[in-house]
Amino acid sequence: MNFFSHYLEKYPKALFLAPMEEITDMPFRKICKSMGADVLTSEFVSSEALIRDVQKSFDKMTFDETERPFGIQIFGHDENSLVKAAQVAEVQHPDFIDINWGCPVKKVVEKGAGAAILKDIHRMVSCTKAVVNAVKLPVSVKTRLGWDMNDKPIVTVAEQLQDIGIQAITIHGRTRSQLYSGVADWTLIGEVKNNPRMKIPVIGNGDITSAEKAVLFTQRYGVDALMIGRAAIGNPWIFKEIKKIFVNEIYQPPSLEEKINILLEHLTNKIALYGEKRACLEMRKHYMGYFKGVDNFKKVRLELMKAISMEEIERVLYI
């Protein structure tokens, strides 16, 4: 049976945490899991780096049992390296392999990887089929509507990918040319989901910035699950908020004390993994989210951005 269909039968309206480079490492994933994220995925792993035994790429695949169901996401432009990377990832025993055909970042696209494949659908299908045939694990794909506003073939592309054996597709409602600007177009995501030929789960992604939008997108477009990315940075509580509204329960936002406690838990786990200085530097990406809406935070944020030790950060937070 399809892995994702089986899971979503047991846990409908599941929430996926989007893979984000230098964000969704193990400490952040585990925080999100504790807040209600159901399915986790690694940061995207370069297939070329993985087959060259680059240690950083192997580190990105590390996870523990509490994170399941867990997928390893790979990206690349070459069929052979993607196949080898998928086989290396399979050895780590995740629950599924995800292929990134959606990253719009220039350095990725210039190498022919990520969303660049949207200019060559034949190669996209061929590479995906090779990965599906090379591993025993379920394979899913994350992609976008198309290359630009004049080229949005996602409805037919989703059919083709289903036909060669992927078990789920996540669609970000933007084209590559949009990057992360403008408004995500969920109408085409809905068309994919409501296409009578589609049998695999369709996961919607893009602009899910509140619980209200999560409900709206689910009800209006009928997707099987939602994937949340940037809105969770510094705000892992968004998963809890969405879960509450789905069952008509009142959501109680975190207090300032809870925000500080979760931030310090996040930092502590990063220090254990990377060492103190690197962890403190990487936490800078999260401060704005953790303290969004807190009065007079600007001065505190400036002090946090200077801190390079746990002691300094605690001193700033507890002034």
Side-chain angles (χ1 to χ4, degrees):
M1 184 178 183
N2 180 302
F3 167 80
F4 294 94
S5 296
H6 180 65
Y7 181 81
L8 292 170
E9 278 184 12
K10 293 173 62 179
Y11 305 102
K13 298 180 180 176
L15 303 178
F16 287 57
L17 173 64
M20 294 177 282
E21 177 70 357
E22 298 184 348
I23 296 292
T24 49
D25 58 2
M26 187 192 296
F28 182 67
R29 295 193 307 260
K30 294 182 81 168
I31 292 288
C32 290
K33 187 78 170 184
S34 73
M35 296 294 174
D38 297 296
V39 181
L40 307 178
T41 311
S42 70
E43 300 173 72
F44 58 72
V45 180
S46 166
S47 59
E48 285 75 18
L50 200 57
I51 64 175
R52 294 199 309 269
D53 292 330
V54 175
Q55 187 59 47
K56 185 177 180 181
S57 293
F58 280 90
D59 293 342
K60 288 181 179 180
M61 297 192 296
T62 302
F63 68 100
D64 68 34
E65 291 299 309
T66 65
E67 296 186 74
R68 294 189 187 275
F70 181 82
I72 293 176
Q73 187 183 79
I74 59 174
F75 79 99
H77 67 278
D78 176 74
E79 182 176 306
N80 290 330
S81 63
L82 279 167
V83 164
K84 291 177 182 176
Q87 292 170 332
V88 171
E90 187 173 38
V91 174
Q92 311 305 312
H93 303 295
D95 296 288
F96 61 95
I97 304 291
D98 188 66
I99 306 175
N100 184 320
W101 291 137
C103 179
V105 176
K106 184 178 180 181
K107 68 178 182 179
V108 173
V109 171
E110 285 181 339
K111 295 178 180 178
I117 202 76
L118 292 166
K119 293 191 290 186
D120 188 349
I121 301 303
H122 176 77
R123 186 164 66 89
M124 179 189 198
V125 173
S126 175
C127 288
T128 304
K129 182 177 181 180
V131 171
V132 169
N133 292 340
V135 296
K136 295 179 181 178
L137 286 174
V139 175
S140 59
V141 161
K142 185 173 190 289
T143 188
R144 289 185 168 228
L145 304 178
W147 179 254
D148 58 31
M149 300 306 287
N150 298 314
D151 179 24
K152 297 190 284 187
I154 188 60
V155 176
T156 56
V157 167
E159 283 190 20
Q160 292 177 66
L161 293 173
Q162 172 184 252
D163 291 347
I164 55 90
I166 70 166
Q167 293 195 22
I169 184 166
T170 300
I171 305 169
H172 182 103
R174 288 181 172 85
T175 63
R176 188 274 163 180
S177 64
Q178 284 181 275
L179 300 177
Y180 296 102
S181 65
V183 178
D185 178 7
W186 277 71
T187 59
L188 281 175
I189 299 176
E191 283 189 38
V192 174
K193 172 56 192 172
N194 295 304
N195 178 354
R197 284 209 67 244
M198 291 298 293
K199 307 301 179 186
I200 63 173
V202 176
I203 303 155
N205 174 232
D207 290 353
I208 308 169
T209 56
S210 67
E212 290 74 22
K213 283 191 175 182
V215 171
L216 174 65
F217 293 157
T218 302
Q219 292 179 344
R220 182 174 293 177
Y221 302 105
V223 291
D224 298 285
L226 301 173
M227 179 175 282
I228 299 163
R230 289 174 294 161
I233 300 174
N235 182 29
W237 292 272
I238 192 170
F239 295 101
K240 182 181 291 186
E241 182 182 4
I242 293 170
K243 288 288 181 70
K244 289 287 187 181
I245 200 170
F246 274 156
V247 295
N248 296 313
E249 291 183 1
I250 295 174
Y251 169 69
Q252 184 65 44
S255 65
L256 179 58
E257 181 182 12
E258 183 182 351
K259 289 184 176 186
I260 290 173
N261 288 340
I262 293 298
L263 183 152
L264 291 176
E265 178 185 341
H266 189 172
L267 174 59
T268 298
N269 290 337
K270 285 180 80 71
I271 289 173
L273 198 59
Y274 306 123
E276 189 170 41
K277 184 174 180 179
R278 177 181 167 185
C280 291
L281 292 174
E282 290 194 0
M283 280 300 295
R284 293 175 179 178
K285 306 181 186 98
H286 298 267
Y287 294 140
M288 282 293 290
Y290 271 117
F291 297 107
K292 184 178 181 180
V294 175
D295 292 337
N296 304 314
F297 175 66
K298 184 176 180 180
K299 183 180 178 181
V300 175
R301 178 175 176 270
L302 291 174
E303 292 299 315
L304 287 172
M305 295 297 281
K306 298 176 186 175
I308 56 172
S309 72
M310 181 75 155
E311 182 180 355
E312 289 177 83
I313 290 172
E314 289 182 317
R315 185 166 62 245
V316 171
L317 292 174
Y318 289 117
I319 285 177

